[in-house]
Amino acid sequence: MLVGAGWALRVAGTVVGLLSFFEFKENIKDAHWGSVGEGPWWMSLLGWAAAFFAGLAAFLVGRLVVVRGKQHTADLVVSCDSLAGTRYVLYLRPFSNDPEMAALNDDIQGGGANLENIFFISGLTHEEALVRRFRQFGRVVAIGRPGENLPLPGATRAYLPLDDWKGTVSELIAGAHVVLLSAGPGPGTVWEFTEALRLLPPDRLVLLAYCDAATYDRFREAVAVEYDRRSRTEPGSPGTGLWPPLPALPGYPPPARPERPRWQVLLNGGRKRLRWDFALKGLVVFGPRWEATFIRFDPTTLKLPSVWTLHKLVKRELRPVQAQLEALDARN
C-alpha cells in the first residue's frame, strides 16, 4: 500500500508540477509588466507558482513513501545456511555508511539545468543503484545492521548475533561468487578485507570507494596493521596455509582538472569548481597476483558535466570490470 500510494503521489506531483511550470512560463511571456495595477495576471502567476510547489512537495513525499514501503517488503535471509550452494554477491560495508547509502539520489543535471527536470530524478537509493549494477552476478546479500527496525532497500539482509558474527561472515566470504567491500577504517571492515584476502582469489574481490581520500588512506593504514597482526598469529589460506601478499593499495587519484577553462565555466552555470560527482567515487580491482588498480570515476574529465554524462562515464569505466566478473566460473 505504501509503495502504491508513493507512486501515486509521484505521478500526480509530476503532472501537476510540469503543467503548472509550463503554464507559469507562458504567463510570464504574456505578462504586461508595465501594468502593475492589473491584478488578474499577477494572481495567475501566483496560482501557477503555488501549484508547482504543491506538485513538487507531492513528488518528493511520494519518493520517501515508496522507500518506506520497500523497507516493509524487503527480502530477508532467514538462515545463512540457505545460501550454501547458491550464487550470491556478498556486499560488506561499514554500518556507518548506511544513512548515506539509504539516501535518495538528488542530482538533477549539471550546470544550468532546467527546473522541471527535478521531476525526472531517480527514485532509487544509492544502495539500490549499487545492487542494480551487480545483481547480474547473483543475489546481492548484506549483513543487516544490529538493532535496526526495518531493513534498508537494496541488498537482501541477513542478520547475525553480535557476539558471533566472524565465523558466519567468513563462511559467506568463502562461498560468495563476488565480494563487494566498501572501504572504511573501522575494525570490522578491516577484518573483513583481510579475511577476503585470505579466502578469495583476487578476481572475486571488488573494493568500493564511497569515501573521501582521507577515509580511504586511514583504511589503507588500518589494513596494513591488521594484516601484519593476523599473518603472524593466524593460519593463512585453507588450501596452502599461507597468507597471500598484502596488496599495495593505490593512492586515491586526485581530480584530473580541479579547475575548468573559462568557456566551460560559462557553459556550466558559472561554477568554477565541479559540483557534480557520483556517490561511488571509484573502485579497486585486483590482478592475478593481487596487483591493485584504482578506477576513479573522475567527473573533472568531462567537458560538459551532468548527471547523464557522469552516469555514462561510470558505465564505461565499469564495463571491463563487469566483463571480468562475467568470466568467473561458478563456485558452488
mmCIF file of all heavy atoms in Angstrom, residues 121-164:
data_model
loop_
_atom_site.group_PDB
_atom_site.id
_atom_site.type_symbol
_atom_site.label_atom_id
_atom_site.label_comp_id
_atom_site.label_asym_id
_atom_site.label_seq_id
_atom_site.Cartn_x
_atom_site.Cartn_y
_atom_site.Cartn_z
ATOM 1 N N ILE A 121 14.272 12.900 -11.539
ATOM 2 C CA ILE A 121 15.366 12.306 -10.780
ATOM 3 C C ILE A 121 14.986 10.895 -10.355
ATOM 4 O O ILE A 121 13.805 10.561 -10.201
ATOM 5 C CB ILE A 121 15.742 13.156 -9.551
ATOM 6 C CG1 ILE A 121 14.531 13.400 -8.655
ATOM 7 C CG2 ILE A 121 16.370 14.467 -9.970
ATOM 8 C CD1 ILE A 121 14.854 14.194 -7.410
ATOM 9 N N SER A 122 15.991 10.079 -10.137
ATOM 10 C CA SER A 122 15.772 8.665 -9.821
ATOM 11 C C SER A 122 15.089 8.505 -8.469
ATOM 12 O O SER A 122 15.301 9.289 -7.544
ATOM 13 C CB SER A 122 17.110 7.932 -9.817
ATOM 14 O OG SER A 122 16.962 6.616 -9.319
ATOM 15 N N GLY A 123 14.309 7.457 -8.353
ATOM 16 C CA GLY A 123 13.684 7.111 -7.082
ATOM 17 C C GLY A 123 14.439 6.028 -6.343
ATOM 18 O O GLY A 123 13.945 5.483 -5.354
ATOM 19 N N LEU A 124 15.663 5.717 -6.793
ATOM 20 C CA LEU A 124 16.470 4.674 -6.162
ATOM 21 C C LEU A 124 17.382 5.273 -5.097
ATOM 22 O O LEU A 124 17.922 6.379 -5.266
ATOM 23 C CB LEU A 124 17.330 3.950 -7.192
ATOM 24 C CG LEU A 124 16.612 3.210 -8.325
ATOM 25 C CD1 LEU A 124 17.636 2.603 -9.272
ATOM 26 C CD2 LEU A 124 15.688 2.139 -7.775
ATOM 27 N N THR A 125 17.584 4.541 -4.007
ATOM 28 C CA THR A 125 18.621 4.914 -3.052
ATOM 29 C C THR A 125 19.985 4.559 -3.646
ATOM 30 O O THR A 125 20.088 3.834 -4.648
ATOM 31 C CB THR A 125 18.437 4.187 -1.719
ATOM 32 O OG1 THR A 125 18.644 2.777 -1.925
ATOM 33 C CG2 THR A 125 17.028 4.409 -1.160
ATOM 34 N N HIS A 126 21.039 5.068 -3.013
ATOM 35 C CA HIS A 126 22.385 4.759 -3.508
ATOM 36 C C HIS A 126 22.681 3.259 -3.426
ATOM 37 O O HIS A 126 23.353 2.703 -4.303
ATOM 38 C CB HIS A 126 23.435 5.554 -2.719
ATOM 39 C CG HIS A 126 23.366 7.026 -2.939
ATOM 40 N ND1 HIS A 126 23.429 7.580 -4.194
ATOM 41 C CD2 HIS A 126 23.240 8.068 -2.072
ATOM 42 C CE1 HIS A 126 23.344 8.901 -4.094
ATOM 43 N NE2 HIS A 126 23.223 9.217 -2.829
ATOM 44 N N GLU A 127 22.171 2.603 -2.388
ATOM 45 C CA GLU A 127 22.408 1.161 -2.283
ATOM 46 C C GLU A 127 21.643 0.400 -3.364
ATOM 47 O O GLU A 127 22.163 -0.562 -3.945
ATOM 48 C CB GLU A 127 22.014 0.636 -0.904
ATOM 49 C CG GLU A 127 22.326 -0.845 -0.729
ATOM 50 C CD GLU A 127 22.080 -1.360 0.660
ATOM 51 O OE1 GLU A 127 22.446 -0.658 1.624
ATOM 52 O OE2 GLU A 127 21.531 -2.476 0.803
ATOM 53 N N GLU A 128 20.425 0.825 -3.655
ATOM 54 C CA GLU A 128 19.673 0.175 -4.724
ATOM 55 C C GLU A 128 20.377 0.342 -6.067
ATOM 56 O O GLU A 128 20.395 -0.586 -6.887
ATOM 57 C CB GLU A 128 18.267 0.768 -4.803
ATOM 58 C CG GLU A 128 17.341 0.357 -3.679
ATOM 59 C CD GLU A 128 15.971 0.977 -3.799
ATOM 60 O OE1 GLU A 128 15.871 2.224 -3.768
ATOM 61 O OE2 GLU A 128 14.980 0.227 -3.936
ATOM 62 N N ALA A 129 20.961 1.508 -6.299
ATOM 63 C CA ALA A 129 21.692 1.726 -7.544
ATOM 64 C C ALA A 129 22.898 0.794 -7.633
ATOM 65 O O ALA A 129 23.207 0.247 -8.699
ATOM 66 C CB ALA A 129 22.145 3.182 -7.642
ATOM 67 N N LEU A 130 23.593 0.583 -6.499
ATOM 68 C CA LEU A 130 24.723 -0.346 -6.478
ATOM 69 C C LEU A 130 24.269 -1.765 -6.772
ATOM 70 O O LEU A 130 24.882 -2.477 -7.576
ATOM 71 C CB LEU A 130 25.415 -0.282 -5.114
ATOM 72 C CG LEU A 130 26.539 -1.294 -4.887
ATOM 73 C CD1 LEU A 130 27.744 -0.971 -5.761
ATOM 74 C CD2 LEU A 130 26.942 -1.334 -3.414
ATOM 75 N N VAL A 131 23.172 -2.182 -6.138
ATOM 76 C CA VAL A 131 22.666 -3.541 -6.334
ATOM 77 C C VAL A 131 22.292 -3.768 -7.799
ATOM 78 O O VAL A 131 22.567 -4.839 -8.368
ATOM 79 C CB VAL A 131 21.462 -3.797 -5.409
ATOM 80 C CG1 VAL A 131 20.743 -5.086 -5.790
ATOM 81 C CG2 VAL A 131 21.923 -3.853 -3.956
ATOM 82 N N ARG A 132 21.703 -2.772 -8.441
ATOM 83 C CA ARG A 132 21.316 -2.924 -9.847
ATOM 84 C C ARG A 132 22.530 -3.145 -10.742
ATOM 85 O O ARG A 132 22.436 -3.819 -11.768
ATOM 86 C CB ARG A 132 20.544 -1.695 -10.307
ATOM 87 C CG ARG A 132 19.127 -1.655 -9.785
ATOM 88 C CD ARG A 132 18.244 -0.763 -10.619
ATOM 89 N NE ARG A 132 16.855 -0.835 -10.201
ATOM 90 C CZ ARG A 132 15.849 -0.318 -10.885
ATOM 91 N NH1 ARG A 132 16.079 0.333 -12.027
ATOM 92 N NH2 ARG A 132 14.617 -0.427 -10.449
ATOM 93 N N ARG A 133 23.665 -2.575 -10.378
ATOM 94 C CA ARG A 133 24.858 -2.717 -11.207
ATOM 95 C C ARG A 133 25.495 -4.097 -11.069
ATOM 96 O O ARG A 133 26.213 -4.541 -11.961
ATOM 97 C CB ARG A 133 25.880 -1.638 -10.853
ATOM 98 C CG ARG A 133 25.423 -0.231 -11.223
ATOM 99 C CD ARG A 133 26.515 0.802 -10.961
ATOM 100 N NE ARG A 133 26.039 2.140 -11.284
ATOM 101 C CZ ARG A 133 26.018 2.655 -12.502
ATOM 102 N NH1 ARG A 133 26.440 1.934 -13.530
ATOM 103 N NH2 ARG A 133 25.574 3.889 -12.713
ATOM 104 N N PHE A 134 25.243 -4.787 -9.954
ATOM 105 C CA PHE A 134 25.936 -6.054 -9.712
ATOM 106 C C PHE A 134 25.002 -7.248 -9.535
ATOM 107 O O PHE A 134 25.486 -8.369 -9.337
ATOM 108 C CB PHE A 134 26.833 -5.929 -8.474
ATOM 109 C CG PHE A 134 28.037 -5.042 -8.694
ATOM 110 C CD1 PHE A 134 27.995 -3.706 -8.348
ATOM 111 C CD2 PHE A 134 29.189 -5.546 -9.257
ATOM 112 C CE1 PHE A 134 29.093 -2.875 -8.549
ATOM 113 C CE2 PHE A 134 30.294 -4.740 -9.476
ATOM 114 C CZ PHE A 134 30.247 -3.394 -9.119
ATOM 115 N N ARG A 135 23.701 -7.062 -9.620
ATOM 116 C CA ARG A 135 22.791 -8.177 -9.379
ATOM 117 C C ARG A 135 22.835 -9.213 -10.491
ATOM 118 O O ARG A 135 22.355 -10.342 -10.299
ATOM 119 C CB ARG A 135 21.372 -7.660 -9.202
ATOM 120 C CG ARG A 135 20.769 -7.000 -10.429
ATOM 121 C CD ARG A 135 19.402 -6.412 -10.135
ATOM 122 N NE ARG A 135 18.833 -5.735 -11.300
ATOM 123 C CZ ARG A 135 17.685 -5.079 -11.283
ATOM 124 N NH1 ARG A 135 16.976 -5.035 -10.167
ATOM 125 N NH2 ARG A 135 17.232 -4.485 -12.379
ATOM 126 N N GLN A 136 23.398 -8.865 -11.653
ATOM 127 C CA GLN A 136 23.506 -9.854 -12.723
ATOM 128 C C GLN A 136 24.442 -10.999 -12.360
ATOM 129 O O GLN A 136 24.409 -12.064 -12.979
ATOM 130 C CB GLN A 136 24.013 -9.169 -13.998
ATOM 131 C CG GLN A 136 25.378 -8.518 -13.840
ATOM 132 C CD GLN A 136 25.828 -7.799 -15.089
ATOM 133 O OE1 GLN A 136 25.913 -8.404 -16.150
ATOM 134 N NE2 GLN A 136 26.107 -6.513 -14.977
ATOM 135 N N PHE A 137 25.282 -10.790 -11.333
ATOM 136 C CA PHE A 137 26.247 -11.815 -10.941
ATOM 137 C C PHE A 137 25.733 -12.688 -9.802
ATOM 138 O O PHE A 137 26.430 -13.593 -9.360
ATOM 139 C CB PHE A 137 27.571 -11.158 -10.532
ATOM 140 C CG PHE A 137 28.107 -10.220 -11.568
ATOM 141 C CD1 PHE A 137 28.186 -8.853 -11.320
ATOM 142 C CD2 PHE A 137 28.501 -10.679 -12.815
ATOM 143 C CE1 PHE A 137 28.663 -7.976 -12.275
ATOM 144 C CE2 PHE A 137 28.974 -9.814 -13.773
ATOM 145 C CZ PHE A 137 29.055 -8.463 -13.514
ATOM 146 N N GLY A 138 24.534 -12.421 -9.327
ATOM 147 C CA GLY A 138 23.948 -13.223 -8.267
ATOM 148 C C GLY A 138 23.131 -12.369 -7.316
ATOM 149 O O GLY A 138 23.121 -11.141 -7.385
ATOM 150 N N ARG A 139 22.427 -13.031 -6.450
ATOM 151 C CA ARG A 139 21.631 -12.345 -5.428
ATOM 152 C C ARG A 139 22.564 -11.551 -4.511
ATOM 153 O O ARG A 139 23.511 -12.102 -3.939
ATOM 154 C CB ARG A 139 20.866 -13.390 -4.622
ATOM 155 C CG ARG A 139 19.927 -12.849 -3.567
ATOM 156 C CD ARG A 139 19.363 -14.023 -2.781
ATOM 157 N NE ARG A 139 18.320 -13.626 -1.853
ATOM 158 C CZ ARG A 139 17.806 -14.461 -0.944
ATOM 159 N NH1 ARG A 139 18.236 -15.735 -0.893
ATOM 160 N NH2 ARG A 139 16.866 -14.052 -0.129
ATOM 161 N N VAL A 140 22.317 -10.258 -4.364
ATOM 162 C CA VAL A 140 23.192 -9.408 -3.561
ATOM 163 C C VAL A 140 22.719 -9.463 -2.113
ATOM 164 O O VAL A 140 21.573 -9.106 -1.798
ATOM 165 C CB VAL A 140 23.195 -7.954 -4.077
ATOM 166 C CG1 VAL A 140 24.151 -7.105 -3.242
ATOM 167 C CG2 VAL A 140 23.601 -7.918 -5.547
ATOM 168 N N VAL A 141 23.604 -9.921 -1.236
ATOM 169 C CA VAL A 141 23.277 -10.144 0.169
ATOM 170 C C VAL A 141 24.181 -9.273 1.037
ATOM 171 O O VAL A 141 25.383 -9.152 0.781
ATOM 172 C CB VAL A 141 23.467 -11.630 0.551
ATOM 173 C CG1 VAL A 141 23.188 -11.851 2.035
ATOM 174 C CG2 VAL A 141 22.563 -12.512 -0.302
ATOM 175 N N ALA A 142 23.609 -8.651 2.068
ATOM 176 C CA ALA A 142 24.363 -7.838 3.011
ATOM 177 C C ALA A 142 23.985 -8.237 4.429
ATOM 178 O O ALA A 142 22.887 -8.749 4.676
ATOM 179 C CB ALA A 142 24.083 -6.346 2.784
ATOM 180 N N ILE A 143 24.896 -7.996 5.358
ATOM 181 C CA ILE A 143 24.605 -8.228 6.768
ATOM 182 C C ILE A 143 23.812 -7.038 7.299
ATOM 183 O O ILE A 143 24.228 -5.888 7.145
ATOM 184 C CB ILE A 143 25.900 -8.408 7.581
ATOM 185 C CG1 ILE A 143 26.756 -9.533 6.975
ATOM 186 C CG2 ILE A 143 25.581 -8.703 9.041
ATOM 187 C CD1 ILE A 143 26.064 -10.864 6.892
ATOM 188 N N GLY A 144 22.655 -7.314 7.915
ATOM 189 C CA GLY A 144 21.833 -6.242 8.435
ATOM 190 C C GLY A 144 22.447 -5.607 9.673
ATOM 191 O O GLY A 144 23.132 -6.275 10.470
ATOM 192 N N ARG A 145 22.220 -4.324 9.823
ATOM 193 C CA ARG A 145 22.736 -3.604 10.990
ATOM 194 C C ARG A 145 22.007 -4.053 12.249
ATOM 195 O O ARG A 145 20.764 -4.050 12.289
ATOM 196 C CB ARG A 145 22.555 -2.105 10.796
ATOM 197 C CG ARG A 145 23.131 -1.272 11.931
ATOM 198 C CD ARG A 145 23.098 0.197 11.586
ATOM 199 N NE ARG A 145 23.788 0.998 12.589
ATOM 200 C CZ ARG A 145 24.151 2.261 12.423
ATOM 201 N NH1 ARG A 145 23.878 2.864 11.272
ATOM 202 N NH2 ARG A 145 24.764 2.915 13.371
ATOM 203 N N PRO A 146 22.727 -4.435 13.289
ATOM 204 C CA PRO A 146 22.058 -4.892 14.515
ATOM 205 C C PRO A 146 21.151 -3.812 15.098
ATOM 206 O O PRO A 146 21.529 -2.637 15.185
ATOM 207 C CB PRO A 146 23.237 -5.185 15.458
ATOM 208 C CG PRO A 146 24.407 -5.417 14.562
ATOM 209 C CD PRO A 146 24.193 -4.526 13.379
ATOM 210 N N GLY A 147 19.940 -4.209 15.466
ATOM 211 C CA GLY A 147 19.030 -3.298 16.139
ATOM 212 C C GLY A 147 18.179 -2.446 15.228
ATOM 213 O O GLY A 147 17.316 -1.708 15.722
ATOM 214 N N GLU A 148 18.368 -2.523 13.906
ATOM 215 C CA GLU A 148 17.542 -1.694 13.032
ATOM 216 C C GLU A 148 16.124 -2.237 12.983
ATOM 217 O O GLU A 148 15.900 -3.445 12.984
ATOM 218 C CB GLU A 148 18.148 -1.617 11.631
ATOM 219 C CG GLU A 148 18.217 -2.911 10.867
ATOM 220 C CD GLU A 148 18.926 -2.765 9.522
ATOM 221 O OE1 GLU A 148 19.415 -1.664 9.233
ATOM 222 O OE2 GLU A 148 18.987 -3.756 8.774
ATOM 223 N N ASN A 149 15.150 -1.322 12.948
ATOM 224 C CA ASN A 149 13.744 -1.726 12.970
ATOM 225 C C ASN A 149 13.304 -2.352 11.653
ATOM 226 O O ASN A 149 12.533 -3.310 11.637
ATOM 227 C CB ASN A 149 12.865 -0.518 13.292
ATOM 228 C CG ASN A 149 13.090 0.005 14.691
ATOM 229 O OD1 ASN A 149 13.323 -0.776 15.614
ATOM 230 N ND2 ASN A 149 13.035 1.318 14.864
ATOM 231 N N LEU A 150 13.786 -1.783 10.548
ATOM 232 C CA LEU A 150 13.441 -2.270 9.226
ATOM 233 C C LEU A 150 14.696 -2.307 8.368
ATOM 234 O O LEU A 150 15.567 -1.437 8.491
ATOM 235 C CB LEU A 150 12.398 -1.356 8.563
ATOM 236 C CG LEU A 150 10.981 -1.369 9.134
ATOM 237 C CD1 LEU A 150 10.155 -0.248 8.501
ATOM 238 C CD2 LEU A 150 10.313 -2.720 8.905
ATOM 239 N N PRO A 151 14.836 -3.301 7.487
ATOM 240 C CA PRO A 151 15.983 -3.326 6.580
ATOM 241 C C PRO A 151 15.909 -2.189 5.572
ATOM 242 O O PRO A 151 14.826 -1.712 5.226
ATOM 243 C CB PRO A 151 15.872 -4.688 5.890
ATOM 244 C CG PRO A 151 14.414 -5.027 5.982
ATOM 245 C CD PRO A 151 13.928 -4.442 7.270
ATOM 246 N N LEU A 152 17.052 -1.752 5.100
ATOM 247 C CA LEU A 152 17.106 -0.696 4.105
ATOM 248 C C LEU A 152 16.871 -1.277 2.714
ATOM 249 O O LEU A 152 17.201 -2.440 2.454
ATOM 250 C CB LEU A 152 18.465 -0.002 4.152
ATOM 251 C CG LEU A 152 18.825 0.662 5.478
ATOM 252 C CD1 LEU A 152 20.209 1.268 5.404
ATOM 253 C CD2 LEU A 152 17.795 1.724 5.850
ATOM 254 N N PRO A 153 16.303 -0.507 1.794
ATOM 255 C CA PRO A 153 16.122 -1.000 0.421
ATOM 256 C C PRO A 153 17.479 -1.255 -0.230
ATOM 257 O O PRO A 153 18.442 -0.520 0.001
ATOM 258 C CB PRO A 153 15.391 0.157 -0.276
ATOM 259 C CG PRO A 153 14.815 0.992 0.815
ATOM 260 C CD PRO A 153 15.746 0.850 1.971
ATOM 261 N N GLY A 154 17.535 -2.292 -1.017
ATOM 262 C CA GLY A 154 18.779 -2.619 -1.713
ATOM 263 C C GLY A 154 19.089 -4.093 -1.599
ATOM 264 O O GLY A 154 18.325 -4.946 -2.069
ATOM 265 N N ALA A 155 20.198 -4.410 -0.976
ATOM 266 C CA ALA A 155 20.628 -5.798 -0.843
ATOM 267 C C ALA A 155 19.717 -6.561 0.122
ATOM 268 O O ALA A 155 19.169 -5.997 1.068
ATOM 269 C CB ALA A 155 22.076 -5.855 -0.353
ATOM 270 N N THR A 156 19.583 -7.870 -0.122
ATOM 271 C CA THR A 156 18.860 -8.741 0.792
ATOM 272 C C THR A 156 19.613 -8.828 2.110
ATOM 273 O O THR A 156 20.824 -9.044 2.132
ATOM 274 C CB THR A 156 18.723 -10.143 0.181
ATOM 275 O OG1 THR A 156 18.031 -10.050 -1.065
ATOM 276 C CG2 THR A 156 17.975 -11.074 1.105
ATOM 277 N N ARG A 157 18.917 -8.630 3.224
ATOM 278 C CA ARG A 157 19.558 -8.593 4.534
ATOM 279 C C ARG A 157 19.560 -9.955 5.217
ATOM 280 O O ARG A 157 18.580 -10.700 5.183
ATOM 281 C CB ARG A 157 18.867 -7.581 5.444
ATOM 282 C CG ARG A 157 19.055 -6.099 5.084
ATOM 283 C CD ARG A 157 20.530 -5.734 4.976
ATOM 284 N NE ARG A 157 20.782 -4.321 5.011
ATOM 285 C CZ ARG A 157 20.991 -3.555 3.940
ATOM 286 N NH1 ARG A 157 20.910 -4.071 2.718
ATOM 287 N NH2 ARG A 157 21.295 -2.280 4.062
ATOM 288 N N ALA A 158 20.720 -10.248 5.848
ATOM 289 C CA ALA A 158 20.837 -11.386 6.751
ATOM 290 C C ALA A 158 21.313 -10.832 8.091
ATOM 291 O O ALA A 158 22.200 -9.975 8.130
ATOM 292 C CB ALA A 158 21.846 -12.411 6.212
ATOM 293 N N TYR A 159 20.724 -11.307 9.177
ATOM 294 C CA TYR A 159 21.043 -10.770 10.497
ATOM 295 C C TYR A 159 21.809 -11.806 11.314
ATOM 296 O O TYR A 159 21.453 -12.984 11.340
ATOM 297 C CB TYR A 159 19.766 -10.339 11.215
ATOM 298 C CG TYR A 159 19.144 -9.117 10.587
ATOM 299 C CD1 TYR A 159 18.184 -9.245 9.571
ATOM 300 C CD2 TYR A 159 19.536 -7.845 10.960
ATOM 301 C CE1 TYR A 159 17.627 -8.131 8.967
ATOM 302 C CE2 TYR A 159 18.983 -6.714 10.361
ATOM 303 C CZ TYR A 159 18.036 -6.867 9.366
ATOM 304 O OH TYR A 159 17.506 -5.756 8.757
ATOM 305 N N LEU A 160 22.876 -11.316 11.995
ATOM 306 C CA LEU A 160 23.760 -12.191 12.749
ATOM 307 C C LEU A 160 23.818 -11.742 14.201
ATOM 308 O O LEU A 160 23.624 -10.552 14.497
ATOM 309 C CB LEU A 160 25.172 -12.165 12.158
ATOM 310 C CG LEU A 160 25.312 -12.496 10.671
ATOM 311 C CD1 LEU A 160 26.770 -12.388 10.242
ATOM 312 C CD2 LEU A 160 24.780 -13.883 10.381
ATOM 313 N N PRO A 161 24.127 -12.663 15.120
ATOM 314 C CA PRO A 161 24.296 -12.270 16.528
ATOM 315 C C PRO A 161 25.536 -11.389 16.698
ATOM 316 O O PRO A 161 26.524 -11.533 15.976
ATOM 317 C CB PRO A 161 24.457 -13.610 17.253
ATOM 318 C CG PRO A 161 24.902 -14.578 16.198
ATOM 319 C CD PRO A 161 24.265 -14.117 14.925
ATOM 320 N N LEU A 162 25.475 -10.476 17.660
ATOM 321 C CA LEU A 162 26.575 -9.534 17.863
ATOM 322 C C LEU A 162 27.857 -10.226 18.318
ATOM 323 O O LEU A 162 28.962 -9.796 17.965
ATOM 324 C CB LEU A 162 26.165 -8.484 18.912
ATOM 325 C CG LEU A 162 25.246 -7.352 18.440
ATOM 326 C CD1 LEU A 162 24.798 -6.511 19.624
ATOM 327 C CD2 LEU A 162 25.965 -6.493 17.413
ATOM 328 N N ASP A 163 27.721 -11.282 19.113
ATOM 329 C CA ASP A 163 28.903 -11.883 19.733
ATOM 330 C C ASP A 163 29.508 -13.017 18.907
ATOM 331 O O ASP A 163 30.533 -13.576 19.297
ATOM 332 C CB ASP A 163 28.554 -12.404 21.133
ATOM 333 C CG ASP A 163 27.381 -13.386 21.108
ATOM 334 O OD1 ASP A 163 26.730 -13.486 20.051
ATOM 335 O OD2 ASP A 163 27.131 -14.044 22.126
ATOM 336 N N ASP A 164 28.908 -13.361 17.768
ATOM 337 C CA ASP A 164 29.431 -14.494 16.998
ATOM 338 C C ASP A 164 29.157 -14.272 15.518
ATOM 339 O O ASP A 164 28.419 -15.024 14.883
ATOM 340 C CB ASP A 164 28.780 -15.803 17.494
ATOM 341 C CG ASP A 164 29.373 -17.028 16.799
ATOM 342 O OD1 ASP A 164 30.535 -16.947 16.351
ATOM 343 O OD2 ASP A 164 28.661 -18.044 16.684
#
